[in-house]
Amino acid sequence: MALHRDPATRAYLRRFVPTMLAYVALVFLAPALIKRTGASGPLLWLLALLPALPIMVVFVLVARYWVELRDEYLRLLEVRKALVATGVTLSLAAGWGFLEIYAHAPHLPTFYIPVIWFGGLGLGSCVNKLVERGAR
């Protein structure tokens, strides 16, 4: 399957790469700005939220990608990947939450949730390959 040749995929990658570069920059820039400015109150909150903005943009980019994909089968594969990622992420978040409450597991920062979701897309790709292999 030549997904990279699809115009929607190329457009998605042209948008995604700079967004992730901004994310990496903001992960380092935000704490430096917080430290340098001694920010507190609303400014602290604003600076602390900066690295989250590109992550939010990525979810918009994913939705836009699905809309722009003209091949319905490719769209099905992408949506299935996202459904697997969402199921895995929400299941792990719920399970870990109960471990924190009842088994005193260490608290994990919630910024890991999107990281798990993106990892779940890889698992969704594996599910797609298994389903395609089984359909042959």
Side-chain angles (χ1 to χ4, degrees):
M1 174 173 35
L3 196 63
H4 63 280
R5 290 188 213 150
D6 187 281
T9 303
R10 288 194 310 270
Y12 169 76
L13 290 173
R14 274 195 317 271
R15 297 170 187 137
F16 176 81
V17 170
T19 302
M20 285 294 93
L21 291 173
Y23 168 72
V24 170
L26 289 170
V27 163
F28 292 101
L29 184 63
L33 286 172
I34 290 167
K35 185 176 180 179
R36 174 182 274 175
T37 63
S40 64
L43 178 60
L44 174 61
W45 284 60
L46 177 68
L47 293 174
L49 284 172
L50 284 177
L53 295 176
I55 298 296
M56 295 173 197
V57 169
V58 167
F59 290 112
V60 172
L61 295 180
V62 168
R64 186 172 178 182
Y65 174 50
W66 293 346
V67 169
E68 291 176 352
L69 263 175
R70 293 293 164 227
D71 185 313
E72 292 178 11
Y73 182 68
L74 292 179
R75 188 179 306 127
L76 164 79
L77 295 176
E78 292 301 314
V79 170
R80 183 188 294 145
K81 279 180 11 184
L83 288 172
V84 169
T86 301
V88 166
T89 302
L90 293 177
S91 297
L92 289 174
W96 194 263
F98 285 114
L99 286 172
E100 284 185 22
I101 290 170
Y102 299 126
H104 309 291
H107 175 69
L108 290 180
T110 55
F111 68 77
Y112 286 119
I113 293 172
V115 173
I116 294 168
W117 190 83
F118 289 119
L121 290 176
L123 184 60
S125 291
C126 294
V127 168
N128 279 340
K129 288 190 188 314
L130 289 172
V131 169
E132 281 188 27
R133 203 173 283 154
R136 291 180 189 169

